[in-house]
């Protein structure tokens, strides 16, 4: 039982876990969608930020390169034009502190004017400190520019005298040709743009739930949440690339401008920024349209990459909350409790069913194999079931009786009223007992004691009563025999003295009530001792028996003959007066005298009797008196020579 509960609990907990896991999967995919949507939005914001900054820078350089003071100096260098150009650049540096250096560089690479803007105030670098930058890449790139082109350098760390300046100073160099009157490039305007502020704003544009990264075309980080990952190519950390970190993601990014990926439960979104297209897009288009001049920008591609770790995109998940965990534990506890109580309930139910079945089987066994017969009855007395013993009593097969025979059809005519009585008791939900004579299949009858028990719920169901049926035939025989023994003389079968007294009293009361006559004969065999002595006691017994038989053949059925003891007999004759009694006595005497009792040796023996007669009269008004009078008459008959009636 306990084992089953444990198994079931485990099963249901596993099921619950599976459901919760499924729900969590759906929920997680929603959270991921949400995170990706956030990525998309913040990438757009960051893109706008970068575009706008770079656009402003290109606008600045375009304007500056077109200023007459700048162009005049390049076209007609003089101390005056130089001063004006220096003035413009100084003023610009003062207003736009994001420019670290503002320079005009001749086509041979020589710096013509240089403004350093690192301190509180922009500083004009003295002529003797100006350098030749022909070998620098941005000068080389600048020399390649068409009149209408602007070069934007890679974002890298500023170097002074070949060494990386610390603290690191991320820098973009913007180069524009300065055109002569024929519209041909004559010199270069170079602005060193300090990107630290831009990168800070870039990082701040993203939610705390995400990690924002800016990656260059080679996969190095220009901005990374881990500072030590930045500027890998500059700091000789060439292994610190996105390509090494997530090769698959890098691969995907090479083929797609925009995209997202899920790697080890971490979410990535990316989008390339083409600085050549910074005018494009709704927020930038207005610049391009409103500008009176236009420039092509040598393309530079950066990639904005956003990463959300599992902890980050799940940060707001409901299942992370304390109460959810408490709820979850409670849920499992409830499931286990439910499984426990259901198992107990199921077990009890099964146990009850088992006991019920057992009880039913016991009942069936008791019913079927009971040592007495059973008949189950419908309300109308039709038999709906019987047991083996009943079938053995009657010799029927079950199918002969069930649903075919009514109880009253099973009894003989004499028992029909009792059967009806039983069926009445059945309809009134009573109990009743009767002795019935039942018909067996072979035509015999048996006496049964039928004890009917009705259902008391009053519902007229098919089975409304049951009769326990006991075959009492033998008992009845025994009862009859005992009764016979109690009332009769064992030798002759005649009534004994006790039964005679009961009968006589009853008849005498009747005679008194009806004022009808009643007579008594007292009889005694003459010289019976001698017969016994001569022929033996057995012959004496035979004579007594044939006397009884013979007399019973002579007297009426309403008379009763009793043996009072020895060879003395008495006959009570209701409705016979004295004279008729004397006549009857003589008839008996003569009949007996003529009776020849055979002997075993082939001979015969005869005997006579003496009879005394007395009848009810005014003087003889009790049985005792009549008996005494008959006795006295008998005595007289003996005295007067025997074989007489007195
Ligand atoms: N065979 C037999 N004899 C019995 C039975 N009961 C009594 N007797 C005998 O009946 C005889 C009665 O004898 P008595 O009283 O002398 O009478 P009796 O010989 O008939 O003489 P009287 O009556 O005077 O004619 C006795 O011998 C008894 O033993 C019985 O059941 N069977």
């Amino acid at each position: 039982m306990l084992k089953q509960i444990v198994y079931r609990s485990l099963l249901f907990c596993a099921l619950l876990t599976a459901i919760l896991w499924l729900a969590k999967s759906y929920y997680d995919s929603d959270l991921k969608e949400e995170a990706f949507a956030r990525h998309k939005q913040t990438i757009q914001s960051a893109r706008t930020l970068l575009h706008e900054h770079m656009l402003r820078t290109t606008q600045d350089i375009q304007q500056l390169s077109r200023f007459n003071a700048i162009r005049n100096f390049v076209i007609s260098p003089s101390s005056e034009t130089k001063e004006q150009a220096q003035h413009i650049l100084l003023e610009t540096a003062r207003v736009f502190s994001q420019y670290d250096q503002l320079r005009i560089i001749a086509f041979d690479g020589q710096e013509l004017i240089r403004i350093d803007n690192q301190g509180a105030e922009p500083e004009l670098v003295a002529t003797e400190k100006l350098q030749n930058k022909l070998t620098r890449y941005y000068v080389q790139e600048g020399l390649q520019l068409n009149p209408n082109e602007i070069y934007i350098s890679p974002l890298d760390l500023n170097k002074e005298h070949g060494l990386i300046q610390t603290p690191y100073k991320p820098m973009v160099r913007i180069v524009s040709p300065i055109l002569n009157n024929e519209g041909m490039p004559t010199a270069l305007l170079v602005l060193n743009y300090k990107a630290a502020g831009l990168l800070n704003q870039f990082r701040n544009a993203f939610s705390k739930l995400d990690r924002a990264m800016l990656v260059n075309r080679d996969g190095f980080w220009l901005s990374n949440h881990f500072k030590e990952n930045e500027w890998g190519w500059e700091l000789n950390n060439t292994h610190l690339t996105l390509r090494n970190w997530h090769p698959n993601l890098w691969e995907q990014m090479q083929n797609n401008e925009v995209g997202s990926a899920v790697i080890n439960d971490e979410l990535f979104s990316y989008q390339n920024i083409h600085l050549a297209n910074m005018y494009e897009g709704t927020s930038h288009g207005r610049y391009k349209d409103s500008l009176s001049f236009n420039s092509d920008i040598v393309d530079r591609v950066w990639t904005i990459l956003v990463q959300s770790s599992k902890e980050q995109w799940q940060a707001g998940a409901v299942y992370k909350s304390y109460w959810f965990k408490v709820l979850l534990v409670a849920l499992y506890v409830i499931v286990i409790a439910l499984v426990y109580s259901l198992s107990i309930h199921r077990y009890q139910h099964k146990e009850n069913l088992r006991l019920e079945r057992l009880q039913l089987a016991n009942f069936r066994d008791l019913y079927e194999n009971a040592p007495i017969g059973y008949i189950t009855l419908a309300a109308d007395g039709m038999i709906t079931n019987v047991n083996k013993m009943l079938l053995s009593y009657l010799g029927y097969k079950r199918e002969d009786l069930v649903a075919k025979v009514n109880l009253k059809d099973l009894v003989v005519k004499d028992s029909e009223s009792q059967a009806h009585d039983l069926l009445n008791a059945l309809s009134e939900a009573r109990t009743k007992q009767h002795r019935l004579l039942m018909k067996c299949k072979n035509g015999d009858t048996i006496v049964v004691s039928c004890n009917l028990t009705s259902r008391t719920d009053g519902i007229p169901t098919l089975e409304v009563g049951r009769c326990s049926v006991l075959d009492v035939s033998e008992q009845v025989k025994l009862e009859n025999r005992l009764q016979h023994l109690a009332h009769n003389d064992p030798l002759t079968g005649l009534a004994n003295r006790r039964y005679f007294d009961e009968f006589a009293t009853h008849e005498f009361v009747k005679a008194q009530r009806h004022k009808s006559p009643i007579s008594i004969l007292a009889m005694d065999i003459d010289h019976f001792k001698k017969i016994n002595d001569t022929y033996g006691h057995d012959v004496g017994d035979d004579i007594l028996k044939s006397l009884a038989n013979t007399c019973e053949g002579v007297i009426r059925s309403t008379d009763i003959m009793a043996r009072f003891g020895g060879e003395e007999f008495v006959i009570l004759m209701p409705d016979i007066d004295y004279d008729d009694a004397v006549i009857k006595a003589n008839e008996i005497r003569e009949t007996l005298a003529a009776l020849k009792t055979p002997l075993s040796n082939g001979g015969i023996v005869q005997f006579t009797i003496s009879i005394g007669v007395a009848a009810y009269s005014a003087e003889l008004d009790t049985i005792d008196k009549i008996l005494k009078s008959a006795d006295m008459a008998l005595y007289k008959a003996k005295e007067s020579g025997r074989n007489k009636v007195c």
Side-chain angles (χ1 to χ4, degrees):
M1 175 69 182
L2 190 71
K3 219 172 174 184
Q4 265 192 355
I5 290 176
V6 171
Y7 282 148
R8 277 192 200 137
S9 298
L10 285 175
L11 183 75
F12 277 90
C13 285
L15 209 68
L16 179 65
T17 308
I19 292 166
L20 289 172
W21 186 84
L22 206 68
K24 182 179 176 289
S25 300
Y26 280 113
Y27 185 54
D28 276 355
S29 62
D30 277 357
L31 289 175
K32 285 178 189 171
E33 288 296 315
E34 220 173 86
F36 278 131
R38 191 178 62 240
H39 285 185
K40 199 172 170 188
Q41 205 178 354
T42 45
I43 284 176
Q44 285 310 321
S45 307
R47 181 169 172 256
T48 305
L49 179 82
L50 292 171
H51 275 185
E52 283 182 354
H53 273 261
M54 296 316 296
L55 185 64
R56 222 170 59 209
T57 312
T58 54
Q59 281 177 304
D60 288 348
I61 203 164
Q62 280 182 79
Q63 271 182 325
L64 274 177
S65 66
R66 281 164 175 75
F67 273 171
N68 284 335
I70 302 291
R71 289 184 64 220
N72 286 344
F73 166 64
V74 173
I75 297 165
S76 321
S78 68
S79 59
E80 191 186 343
T81 54
K82 186 175 185 180
E83 204 174 307
Q84 282 174 355
Q86 285 171 337
H87 176 72
I88 287 291
L89 292 177
L90 272 170
E91 284 308 308
T92 304
R94 199 163 280 127
V95 176
F96 300 113
S97 60
Q98 68 267 32
Y99 297 121
D100 191 67
Q101 285 182 2
L102 298 90
R103 286 176 287 177
I104 296 174
I105 299 176
F107 264 26
D108 61 359
Q110 182 59 43
E111 290 177 332
L112 300 176
I113 299 174
R114 171 174 166 182
I115 308 292
D116 281 349
N117 196 17
Q118 285 103 20
E121 275 295 315
E123 186 190 327
L124 178 66
V125 176
T127 310
E128 59 274 16
K129 288 190 177 172
L130 296 175
Q131 300 167 17
N132 190 299
K133 298 286 185 182
L134 186 63
T135 54
R136 300 291 284 147
Y137 70 91
Y138 54 87
V139 174
Q140 288 300 317
E141 294 285 348
L143 293 175
Q144 313 286 320
L145 290 172
N146 291 319
N148 233 5
E149 280 186 333
I150 289 173
Y151 170 74
I152 298 175
S153 78
L155 176 57
D156 57 16
L157 295 178
N158 194 45
K159 297 172 193 74
E160 285 292 336
H161 310 295
L163 293 174
I164 292 169
Q165 194 181 351
T166 50
Y168 300 145
K169 199 186 260 185
M171 200 71 76
V172 177
R173 289 164 191 85
I174 324 271
V175 183
S176 172
I178 302 169
L179 308 181
N180 60 18
N181 289 336
E182 286 74 41
M184 292 305 294
T186 313
L188 299 174
L189 179 60
V190 178
L191 299 182
N192 283 14
Y193 173 72
K194 288 187 278 190
L198 172 62
L199 291 175
N200 266 338
Q201 284 188 43
F202 169 78
R203 278 190 283 271
N204 291 337
F206 288 88
S207 155
K208 291 278 174 287
L209 294 174
D210 306 319
R211 292 167 179 173
M213 290 169 258
L214 192 64
V215 184
N216 72 10
R217 210 56 199 144
D218 301 322
F220 289 103
W221 282 284
L222 306 176
S223 175
N224 189 298
H225 42 283
F226 295 122
K227 284 265 170 228
E228 56 273 24
N229 289 342
E230 294 174 350
W231 315 113
W233 83 100
E234 297 273 45
L235 304 173
N236 286 330
N237 292 328
T238 47
H239 63 286
L240 294 177
T241 61
L242 185 57
R243 187 203 301 265
N244 288 339
W245 186 41
H246 280 306
N248 291 342
L249 179 63
W250 175 252
E251 190 65 34
Q252 184 184 334
M253 286 165 66
Q254 299 316 297
N255 301 321
N256 299 290
E257 288 288 312
V258 181
S260 61
V262 181
I263 302 169
N264 298 333
D265 274 331
E266 299 204 324
L267 311 183
F268 293 90
S269 299
Y270 58 87
Q271 183 168 355
N272 289 339
I273 295 179
H274 291 267
L275 294 184
N277 299 333
M278 70 175 78
Y279 291 108
E280 287 179 6
T282 49
S283 98
H284 304 104
R286 66 189 163 89
Y287 287 107
K288 188 166 186 179
D289 295 343
S290 64
L291 289 172
S292 55
F293 48 85
N294 216 326
S295 290
D296 291 328
I297 296 165
V298 177
D299 197 14
R300 179 143 315 281
V301 182
W302 293 334
T303 304
I304 300 172
L305 175 66
V306 190
Q307 175 201 9
S308 295
S309 68
K310 196 175 176 185
E311 288 70 33
Q312 286 173 312
W313 62 261
Q314 285 182 341
V318 68
Y319 55 73
K320 290 274 178 189
S321 79
Y322 171 77
W323 285 112
F324 184 85
K325 286 169 189 165
V326 170
L327 204 74
L328 206 63
V329 171
L331 198 64
Y332 276 96
V333 169
I334 288 169
V335 165
I336 291 169
L338 268 175
V339 167
Y340 178 79
S341 70
L342 282 175
S343 297
I344 293 284
H345 181 78
R346 207 173 124 90
Y347 171 77
Q348 279 172 347
H349 181 68
K350 273 169 84 174
E351 190 62 13
N352 286 347
L353 277 181
R354 193 183 68 80
L355 288 174
E356 267 174 34
R357 274 200 291 270
L358 196 69
Q359 237 174 358
L360 200 64
N362 278 339
F363 168 75
R364 280 207 185 111
D365 182 55
L366 279 174
Y367 183 92
E368 195 59 22
N369 301 310
I372 59 170
Y374 278 125
I375 304 176
T376 308
L377 298 168
D380 58 357
M382 279 305 277
I383 294 171
T384 56
N385 199 7
V386 290
N387 74 345
K388 275 189 205 159
M389 187 53 92
L390 192 281
L391 294 172
S392 80
Y393 284 165
L394 303 180
Y396 284 107
K397 286 185 176 167
R398 195 179 300 270
E399 53 269 29
D400 296 336
L401 301 177
V402 172
K404 287 182 185 160
V405 175
N406 195 296
L407 178 69
K408 61 182 189 289
D409 300 330
L410 264 187
V411 300
V412 301
K413 207 168 176 50
D414 288 350
S415 293
E416 273 178 6
S417 65
Q418 285 94 328
H420 277 290
D421 196 27
L422 284 174
L423 294 185
N424 285 340
L426 188 67
S427 61
E428 291 162 15
R430 286 185 287 116
T431 56
K432 193 81 190 171
Q433 185 175 15
H434 271 302
R435 221 170 236 195
L436 305 170
L437 266 174
M438 267 189 177
K439 294 186 273 194
C440 299
K441 192 174 183 180
N442 61 8
D444 290 349
T445 54
I446 56 167
V447 186
V448 296
S449 171
C450 191
N451 206 331
L452 180 131
T453 311
S454 305
R455 287 176 65 120
T456 52
D457 54 13
I459 301 165
T461 56
L462 259 184
E463 291 179 9
V464 296
R466 189 165 56 246
C467 280
S468 64
V469 178
L470 189 62
D471 182 355
V472 292
S473 299
E474 289 304 319
Q475 185 189 333
V476 167
K477 277 186 202 160
L478 188 65
E479 279 173 10
N480 289 342
R481 177 142 180 72
L482 286 173
Q483 195 177 30
H484 192 263
L485 284 174
H487 291 167
N488 296 78
D489 167 48
L491 180 68
T492 60
L494 295 172
N496 59 18
R497 175 71 193 257
R498 216 181 82 212
Y499 184 63
F500 178 86
D501 286 346
E502 278 176 28
F503 186 81
T505 308
H506 178 256
E507 287 299 320
F508 187 71
V509 170
K510 224 163 80 176
Q512 276 187 320
R513 197 182 320 127
H514 296 119
K515 303 210 183 315
S516 53
I518 188 165
S519 301
I520 288 177
L521 309 184
M523 307 187 331
D524 190 294
I525 301 174
D526 298 332
H527 303 300
F528 190 55
K529 183 175 181 316
K530 198 170 165 188
I531 294 170
N532 267 339
D533 293 346
T534 310
Y535 302 105
H537 206 266
D538 288 346
V539 174
D541 282 354
D542 288 344
I543 284 172
L544 290 172
K545 282 191 260 185
S546 55
L547 178 144
N549 280 338
T550 307
C551 286
E552 279 193 319
V554 175
I555 63 176
R556 295 185 302 185
S557 63
T558 48
D559 299 342
I560 183 161
M561 180 171 179
R563 185 185 176 202
F564 268 27
E567 84 291 23
E568 291 173 29
F569 299 90
V570 173
I571 299 173
L572 178 84
M573 298 172 154
D575 294 325
I576 290 189
D577 61 14
Y578 179 79
D579 293 339
D580 287 341
V582 169
I583 294 167
K584 199 75 187 174
N586 275 314
E587 189 188 337
I588 291 168
R589 182 186 59 78
E590 284 165 11
T591 306
L592 289 174
L595 188 69
K596 293 173 178 155
T597 304
L599 294 170
S600 57
N601 59 8
I604 55 154
V605 61
Q606 288 189 284
F607 64 92
T608 59
I609 60 164
S610 299
I611 303 175
V613 183
Y616 169 55
S617 66
E619 294 82 38
L620 304 178
D621 57 354
T622 66
I623 284 289
D624 275 352
K625 285 179 185 172
I626 304 170
L627 264 176
K628 262 189 194 142
S629 172
D631 247 357
M632 282 169 63
L634 171 63
Y635 179 73
K636 238 198 276 177
K638 289 272 181 188
E639 284 297 306
S640 60
R642 296 184 171 79
N643 194 19
K644 294 267 169 46
V645 173
C646 288

